[in-house]
Amino acid sequence: MTDGVDLRTAVADFDRTAVADLESAAEAERKRVLSKFPLEEWAGLPLERYALGQTASTGAGPTYCRMLEFLTPNLGSIKGGSAAKHIMYHHVSGEWRLAAPLRGMEPQDAWTHLRGQFVQAFDAVTAGDLEALDDLDLLRFGPTLVTKTLATYFPDRFLPIYAGEHLGQFVGLLSGGSVQGDSPAWHSNLRLLNLVRDHAEFGGWTRYEVMHFLYKHFDPRRRQRTIWKIAPGERGRLWDECRADGVIRVGWEQIGDLGLYQSDTDLKQALDANWPRKSGGSLTLARRLLAFRDLEEGDRIVANRGVDEVLATGTVSGEYRFDTDRPEFQHVVPVDWDLSHAQKLSEPKQWRSTFAKVDPAFFARLTAHRADSGAGADQAPQVTPVALPEDVQAVLDALERKGQVILHGPPGTGKTWLALGAALAVDGRADTLDTNNTQRVKAQADMLHGDRVRMVTFHPSYGYEDFVEGFKPDLSATGPGLTLALANGLFHDLCNRAAAHPEQEFLLIIDEMNRGDLPRIFGELITLLELDKRNLPVSLPVSKRRFSVPPNIRIIGTMNTADRSISHLDAAVRRRFAFLPVGPDPDAVSGTVGPLDLAAFFESLNARIARHLDADHQIGHAYLLRDGVPIATVDDLAAAFHHEVIPLLEDYCVGRAELLHRILGGLVDADTGRALLMSPQDLPDALASEFNSGETGSNA
């Protein structure tokens, strides 16, 4: 919806009166900022009244940065992400975190320098010299905060839209072009405002009406939302409070306000300091806590008790806050709860920690259930459309955009499994994506025996004659000697079927794509893969027959980057494929074996591999799965570690015993340079000790 006709239609359909209350709330917030922080007082504004992480003197109220990020949502949001947007802030560790040009300065000196640039910016806008903003180098380190500041003090000069990426997309929408990637957000804001004024459709509109219109119809944040399972305390003990208050709460309050953390590694350090040698310090938990902090209105969550009971589903209705008035579980997100989805699950889920991702297909079935609905026996069951998993949807989106995609990543990350999942969706079997492994494997086998999906594995001897056409021995010939006959290759046959059924989509999966000689295999057809060259006929060099690639053909390739980097691919091939990384997923191995937290071990091992080898040689989560679920017994752990992980690492480190030792540490025999062979009963303790995983510390 980016052309002029759709824009005009959307403008005509937009209800401007629905924005009135929001606009009044925004103006009230703006006036509150101006009353607390008058423009004329900025030259003497003290640091403790500006910086996030500071406690203002009694009666002074919140600091400027806290007010703009957390207390003025109707004025336009800059919430979430790194606290570095504030250019300088007081970290929970007691340290001051400063933008690069300020590092090494004392906090007061840094603040004097930063405050001076804010005042210069105010003077420049007042004088109409907007170009002078470009000389204020410090402000470029906080473009969203600075742009919201300028829009607050100079509402006639700026729109209440602050994120550079969003502004760039809106500029592209209204101009048919784009905004330069290195332009500060305030420049993009000014350009967008001028474009709005040039569009007659927006005549008489307020800036808030424009903002709400753009986000309603062209929201850059639209995405396949991740659905989170979040436990309201151990065994759901806080559920009654969460339900009554309309919130979800989690612990780890010792680390303080999550809004003060700049990155997952930053938060991990705080977790490690509070829970040494515990999985509470794992990068997995840090990432999940930040995901909790950054939940947006409209995101969906599931509240659970244990592994087999859903207490409710919920829709996030507000922004994260750190509530120190509560005695525990002080990290809080507002939620509108729907109790009608409460139910006991027929099969336990892998919900062994506070946070877990929920598959959209499972969530769709979950929300189709209505507890105590009282529906009559004759009432037709509600039909719920199948929601595709996020990774499958990403593949389908890439296929729609480019026509062919390569899934690349380390071994064991599920590239082939993902390709087959996308194929099931293409073949109309999306309902099997969230079934058990046996049912899904059967569906995949049925699909590959049908007409629309084919799968092939490339190898060094695979050639053009196998893929497109060539002369091959005629096994039906009865005469003496070898008889050759022209035969269609796999891709040729699939294209013929696709041309005969233009209303359907046909798909080819090429596994281990980088093991083949791609220029030789594709030949002249590499040109025809481009979507704008579909149905373009060429003369095949062997048979001289006319041939074209139909527009309803799609290709998914998989590449193991441990074998060969994508940078070694022929340039012509690279240009015609979209590339989607498929990396190790710690969430997929959430679970424990004795004292060993699998996800923490998995992340720590991969961190060492990436540090001493590279990211392409990490291990995938499939090594720690059995039948699609995390391994749960010491025997399975020992089999996976000794018979799969160790041989892979020894192959990577062949001839370099010291490298294997740096990766596995004390699990390598100092005399032989080989990995120690341990009994299944001893292995979990040894791995937990070496890789610092420890107890789960969860609220499941």
Side-chain angles (χ1 to χ4, degrees):
M1 190 148 103
T2 58
D3 62 287
V5 174
D6 284 333
L7 177 64
R8 288 194 295 271
T9 302
V11 168
D13 291 342
F14 183 69
D15 182 8
R16 293 166 58 191
T17 61
V19 178
D21 290 343
L22 297 172
E23 185 167 354
S24 296
E27 273 302 299
E29 291 172 356
R30 193 179 75 83
K31 290 176 181 176
R32 183 167 177 243
V33 174
L34 268 56
S35 68
K36 294 289 185 180
F37 303 92
L39 191 62
E40 60 273 13
E41 293 183 9
W42 261 85
L45 187 69
L47 177 58
E48 60 268 20
R49 293 207 58 214
Y50 169 81
L52 203 65
Q54 288 279 277
T55 302
S57 58
T58 303
T63 64
Y64 179 78
C65 289
R66 174 163 292 281
M67 180 171 279
L68 252 64
E69 179 166 6
F70 297 103
L71 304 179
T72 53
N74 294 293
L75 207 51
S77 177
I78 61 170
K79 174 186 169 292
S82 168
K85 70 166 73 73
H86 298 289
I87 310 175
M88 64 181 296
Y89 66 98
H90 195 239
H91 193 259
V92 288
S93 64
E95 301 174 349
W96 279 94
R97 300 291 172 87
L98 309 176
L102 299 174
R103 288 173 194 161
M105 293 185 183
E106 290 297 318
Q108 287 296 338
D109 293 336
W111 168 236
T112 298
H113 190 31
L114 175 58
R115 181 181 59 196
Q117 291 211 358
F118 269 111
V119 172
Q120 290 179 63
F122 300 150
D123 291 343
V125 177
T126 300
D129 184 12
L130 299 179
E131 296 300 321
L133 295 174
D134 296 344
D135 298 329
L136 305 175
D137 60 318
L138 268 181
L139 301 189
R140 284 177 172 263
F141 287 83
T144 56
L145 173 74
V146 172
T147 306
K148 183 168 183 176
T149 295
L150 296 175
T152 299
Y153 286 103
F154 304 96
D156 295 334
R157 302 285 186 92
F158 298 90
L159 290 168
I161 301 171
Y162 317 118
E165 181 183 355
H166 299 181
L167 288 162
Q169 292 197 42
F170 293 150
V171 166
L173 169 71
L174 298 187
S175 70
S178 63
V179 66
Q180 293 184 355
D182 59 352
S183 297
W186 54 83
H187 265 301
S188 305
N189 191 297
L190 290 167
R191 185 177 175 192
L192 180 61
L193 179 59
N194 288 331
L195 288 168
V196 168
R197 288 170 173 168
D198 289 340
H199 276 68
E201 298 94 331
F202 295 115
W205 285 44
T206 68
R207 63 194 197 116
Y208 294 109
E209 290 171 347
V210 171
M211 175 188 72
H212 286 287
F213 165 77
L214 290 173
Y215 278 110
K216 176 179 174 60
H217 290 285
F218 307 99
D219 193 341
R221 300 167 299 182
R222 285 195 184 121
R223 69 198 192 283
Q224 179 73 24
R225 296 181 183 271
T226 298
I227 305 166
W228 286 100
K229 187 284 310 177
I230 305 176
E234 305 89 344
R235 293 295 303 171
R237 69 178 177 85
L238 296 175
W239 171 235
D240 289 341
E241 295 178 30
C242 288
R243 179 186 59 197
D245 295 343
V247 299
I248 186 68
R249 293 160 47 193
V250 300
W252 297 283
E253 52 271 4
Q254 293 91 331
I255 59 178
D257 191 338
L258 295 173
L260 296 178
Y261 291 94
Q262 183 170 347
S263 65
D264 49 13
T265 53
D266 189 22
L267 178 53
K268 180 183 183 301
Q269 291 174 359
L271 290 165
D272 287 336
N274 282 279
W275 294 277
R277 301 189 61 79
K278 303 279 187 182
S279 67
S282 74
L283 198 56
T284 299
L285 177 57
R287 288 170 177 165
R288 289 172 176 174
L289 283 170
L290 292 184
F292 177 83
R293 177 197 70 183
D294 294 335
L295 286 169
E296 297 179 357
E297 288 192 39
D299 284 344
R300 304 303 301 276
I301 58 177
V302 175
N304 70 299
R305 178 183 285 120
V307 297
D308 61 355
E309 184 179 2
V310 169
L311 298 167
T313 62
T315 303
V316 174
S317 58
E319 300 182 337
Y320 161 83
R321 66 179 184 270
F322 185 58
D323 190 349
T324 55
D325 291 336
R326 298 179 186 271
E328 60 174 348
F329 286 67
Q330 295 171 348
H331 302 293
V332 180
V333 170
V335 176
D336 289 332
W337 293 112
D338 185 343
L339 305 181
S340 69
H341 300 145
Q343 58 192 278
K344 280 282 190 178
L345 302 177
S346 58
E347 295 182 2
K349 305 294 289 184
Q350 294 296 319
W351 288 345
R352 304 181 187 179
S353 61
T354 300
F355 306 98
K357 289 181 180 178
V358 176
D359 186 88
F362 170 75
F363 186 77
R365 293 202 306 274
L366 192 69
T367 52
H369 170 88
R370 293 287 175 186
D372 300 321
S373 63
D378 297 331
Q379 184 173 332
Q382 181 179 3
V383 177
T384 303
V386 175
L388 295 177
E390 184 176 0
D391 53 356
V392 171
Q393 187 62 56
V395 175
L396 298 182
D397 290 344
L399 289 174
E400 181 68 23
R401 183 178 69 255
K402 196 77 174 178
Q404 42 276 332
V405 61
I406 289 177
L407 311 178
H408 63 96
T413 53
K415 298 178 290 295
T416 305
W417 186 253
L418 174 56
L420 288 167
L424 286 170
V426 169
D427 200 43
R429 304 171 191 254
D431 58 328
T432 65
L433 289 173
D434 193 43
T435 56
N436 61 49
N437 269 27
T438 301
Q439 292 172 301
R440 176 167 165 173
V441 168
K442 181 181 183 302
Q444 289 171 175
D446 292 342
M447 171 185 68
L448 293 174
H449 282 94
D451 292 330
R452 297 174 59 193
V453 180
R454 284 291 177 268
M455 184 172 182
V456 62
T457 300
F458 278 3
H459 50 80
S461 62
Y462 196 85
Y464 182 88
E465 62 278 7
D466 302 299
F467 194 64
V468 184
E469 67 171 12
F471 286 95
K472 295 184 178 182
D474 184 357
L475 301 181
S476 64
T478 57
L482 179 65
T483 301
L484 298 178
L486 182 67
N488 290 340
L490 175 76
F491 187 59
H492 196 303
D493 277 340
L494 189 64
C495 286
N496 286 344
R497 286 199 297 275
H501 300 280
E503 74 286 354
Q504 296 181 333
E505 199 165 57
F506 287 72
L507 177 66
L508 174 64
I509 299 173
I510 305 174
D511 207 22
E512 303 286 356
M513 190 169 176
N514 52 327
R515 293 188 64 232
D517 184 345
L518 299 185
R520 175 175 175 266
I521 293 171
F522 281 99
E524 69 285 342
L525 298 193
I526 194 66
T527 299
L528 304 187
L529 294 182
E530 294 185 42
L531 290 181
D532 63 351
K533 295 181 177 63
R534 297 297 180 90
N535 277 338
L536 180 69
V538 297
S539 178
L540 296 178
V542 175
S543 66
K544 309 303 179 185
R545 293 181 296 178
R546 303 287 281 175
F547 178 80
S548 62
V549 176
N552 55 330
I553 283 281
R554 299 289 182 263
I555 299 175
I556 302 176
T558 72
M559 281 184 46
N560 187 342
T561 51
D563 296 335
R564 189 183 187 195
S565 168
I566 61 174
S567 64
H568 291 94
L569 279 182
D570 181 83
V573 175
R574 287 204 308 271
R575 286 196 302 270
R576 288 165 173 84
F577 281 80
F579 287 82
L580 292 182
V582 184
D585 182 7
D587 289 320
V589 294
S590 178
T592 58
V593 180
L596 181 67
D597 181 320
L598 284 178
F601 156 64
F602 179 69
E603 283 194 295
S604 184
L605 174 60
N606 272 334
R608 292 192 190 181
I609 294 172
R611 183 165 62 249
H612 297 300
L613 288 167
D614 55 53
D616 287 337
H617 287 81
Q618 295 179 97
I619 67 166
H621 43 272
Y623 287 95
L624 299 180
L625 299 177
R626 289 292 176 270
D627 297 325
V629 299
I631 55 179
T633 69
V634 293
D635 289 331
D636 280 345
L637 176 65
F641 188 70
H642 289 308
H643 303 152
E644 298 179 57
V645 175
I646 291 298
L648 184 68
L649 294 178
E650 289 180 334
D651 181 54
Y652 291 162
C653 303
V654 63
R656 296 180 289 174
E658 79 288 348
L659 182 57
L660 186 64
H661 184 268
R662 286 200 294 270
I663 294 173
L664 293 178
L667 300 177
V668 173
D669 188 301
D671 296 326
T672 65
R674 302 294 300 274
L676 295 170
L677 184 63
M678 297 185 181
S679 70
Q681 289 70 32
D682 294 334
L683 184 61
D685 286 298
L687 292 176
S689 176
E690 175 63 36
F691 291 96
N692 192 28
S693 53
E695 301 172 5
T696 62
S698 74
N699 299 327

